[in-house]
């Protein structure tokens, strides 16, 4: 039997520790190819590069693994991998990460890590985004390797329901031992921004976006609860955003004649 | 009674014809404030600016309307409007667009127009993204003004269901008269990319992303069908991406012990 083909990408850039860890684990499961950004792309959401050109360069920073660095976003990387680098070969699995930092709850929308996974799912490939709730560049990933492998194996063996990408978050190493895995819903939480207003040496105003993550969710079946209680969270994510339940409400309540 | 406060943004930039049209219509409904990108941001998805600084400058390109141009993405604009420009005032309505070009189907994920609307919804404000299926810079918006006003009025009067932003697309002017409005689901369609490989004057390779939009959806209850049949499409969109139906599948089928 042929080894499964596994496409690896991320949003922290091809030199980050998280993607090195992910490549290491995926090499135990199949043939790995890496197409990842040449620079950090955190917070890029599902951005794609349409008004500018893209660069794509092969490099050899991973042992025994074909790897390309791309000037674009994580979604660009998956598109280039699928439609240019791999041409007729379709990956059996797309994995993105391991992100340095949480992508729980609403962060899924801003996450470059998850946009690579969602792009894979749009292309009909089983796809997973992995994130560690630790933003530091030298974060310790050692405690999550066995979970990454187990989740990827489940996907390779059993697939994922159609039209879905998995958003997997891991508690940081500093916590006690991981208690297990919870399949969850996205928590109702959001960022409460504060803009730090400063002045440049020429006296012109500029801002840094800052803020706090605020959890409004009192449930125990969501990803914020899982992480806070030292479980791995898995949220199955849609790319069909339709709020089906709202269609009849709008049809009933609204007067849309002009 | 106070006039409703309406926040206007877009992704084509503050000087585009689409946002001028939208401001014009919104002035008939309330007090308008504009916070929009200072340059085109198409395809930015839900990107936010976290590794760089943001600029925000007041300008007076709209008659009788306070307007700011921002160096960031559409989502940045809404965040800056909500948490810095408007401070204690909460808009009664957030509108984004009118985009020059379609944002039907899967394009909702790549759309900067819709990211502004979705950001508004995350902040608990009734929000609508408007797009015209005509990419040209001098697109004719005259046939959609009455619909923009009617839809915005419905939202101001009746609100939208919680956790939802509206994705509104209009047929181009060149078509026959608009037949009416359809509340739809997102069509199952996607972009089939082709990468146009070129070489720069120094002999280094680069790419342009190109491709075709392919509709795989045979239904008649979706936004692609509506536009193709000369209806205005309204898709209510979620920002909770959870695939609730998949949670039990994963819990039943998978072995997630490590």
């Amino acid at each position: 039997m042929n080894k499964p083909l596994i496409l690896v990408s991320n949003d922290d850039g091809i030199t980050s520790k998280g993607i090195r860890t992910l490549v290491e684990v995926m090499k135990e499961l199949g043939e790995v190819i890496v197409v990842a950004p040449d620079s950090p792309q955190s917070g890029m959401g599902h951005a794609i590069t349409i008004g500018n050109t893209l660069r794509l360069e092969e490099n050899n920073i991973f042992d025994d693994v074909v790897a390309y660095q791309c000037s674009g976003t994580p979604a660009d990387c998956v598109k280039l991998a699928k439609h240019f680098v791999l041409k007729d070969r379709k990956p059996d699995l797309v994995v993105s990460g391991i992100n340095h930092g949480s992508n729980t709850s609403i962060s899924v929308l801003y996450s470059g890590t998850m946009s690579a996974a969602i792009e894979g799912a749009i292309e009909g490939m089983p796809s997973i985004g992995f994130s560690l709730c630790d933003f530091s560049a030298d974060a310790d990933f050692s405690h999550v390797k066995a979970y990454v492998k187990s989740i990827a194996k489940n996907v390779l063996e059993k697939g994922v329901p159609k039209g879905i990408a998995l958003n997997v978050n891991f508690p940081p190493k500093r916590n006690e031992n991981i208690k297990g895995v919870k399949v969850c819903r996205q928590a109702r939480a959001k960022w409460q921004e504060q803009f730090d207003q400063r002045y440049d040496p020429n006296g012109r105003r500029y801002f840094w976006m800052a803020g706090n993550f605020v959890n409004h969710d009192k449930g125990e079946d969501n990803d914020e609860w899982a992480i806070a209680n030292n479980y791995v969270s898995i949220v199955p994510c849609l790319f069909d955003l339709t709020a089906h339940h709202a269609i009849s409400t709008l049809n009933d309540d609204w007067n849309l004649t002009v």
Side-chain angles (χ1 to χ4, degrees), chain A:
Chain A
M1 195 188 112
N2 283 339
K3 285 166 91 174
L5 178 63
I6 303 173
L7 173 63
V8 179
S9 194
N10 79 340
D11 78 349
D12 292 316
I14 199 163
T15 60
S16 69
K17 188 174 175 186
I19 197 170
R20 298 197 76 85
T21 309
L22 190 54
V23 167
E24 214 176 281
V25 177
M26 290 304 123
K27 279 169 73 176
E28 298 172 19
L29 295 174
E31 178 191 347
V32 175
I33 184 156
V34 177
V35 182
D38 60 15
S39 64
Q41 297 281 325
S42 295
M44 284 305 281
H46 213 98
I48 51 172
T49 303
I50 49 179
N52 271 303
T53 57
L54 286 167
R55 296 286 189 175
L56 182 75
E57 309 284 350
E58 192 165 354
N59 71 33
N60 56 4
I61 63 168
F62 300 104
D63 293 337
D64 314 320
V65 167
V66 177
Y68 295 83
Q69 61 188 60
C70 171
S71 61
T73 65
D76 290 334
C77 288
V78 173
K79 285 180 183 291
L80 263 166
K82 173 71 167 53
H83 296 290
F84 180 79
V85 176
L86 294 170
K87 291 188 181 76
D88 298 332
R89 302 182 69 198
K90 187 170 179 176
D92 301 290
L93 177 64
V94 178
V95 289
S96 176
I98 303 171
N99 192 57
H100 294 243
S102 163
N103 278 316
T104 52
S105 178
I106 198 70
S107 301
V108 67
L109 290 187
Y110 308 107
S111 164
T113 304
M114 277 308 294
S115 78
I118 289 173
E119 191 61 40
I122 292 171
E123 290 289 348
M125 305 180 290
S127 300
I128 319 169
F130 293 107
S131 302
L132 178 71
C133 297
D134 181 344
F135 281 93
S136 58
D138 68 341
D140 188 338
F141 292 92
S142 61
H143 62 306
V144 308
K145 285 188 193 174
Y147 286 96
V148 170
K149 188 170 177 180
S150 163
I151 293 167
K153 269 187 79 168
N154 271 279
V155 170
L156 282 169
E157 285 165 14
K158 293 167 188 165
V160 283
K162 204 175 163 185
I164 283 164
L166 301 183
N167 183 17
V168 178
N169 280 269
F170 298 110
K173 173 79 173 183
R174 62 180 174 275
N175 292 7
E176 59 199 287
N177 286 338
I178 289 174
K179 285 183 195 152
V181 178
K182 294 273 186 201
V183 184
C184 307
R185 63 174 173 82
Q186 176 181 322
R188 195 171 64 79
K190 74 179 196 73
W191 290 91
Q192 183 70 34
E193 276 83 17
Q194 282 164 336
F195 287 92
D196 184 346
Q197 183 178 209
R198 301 184 183 193
Y199 289 85
D200 71 18
N202 301 313
R204 275 187 69 212
R205 187 174 66 168
Y206 67 96
F207 297 88
W208 287 103
M209 190 185 292
N212 300 308
F213 188 73
V214 186
N215 188 359
H216 299 282
D217 202 315
K218 293 182 181 131
E220 299 195 348
D221 54 348
N222 64 70
D223 52 2
E224 281 300 310
W225 186 93
I227 292 294
N229 288 274
N230 223 30
Y231 288 94
V232 177
S233 68
I234 304 182
V235 177
C237 294
L238 296 161
F239 53 82
D240 177 350
L241 305 191
T242 311
H244 291 277
H245 68 285
I247 291 177
S248 58
T249 307
L250 299 187
N251 276 324
D252 290 351
D253 294 357
W254 285 24
N255 177 4
L256 291 165
T257 50
V258 170

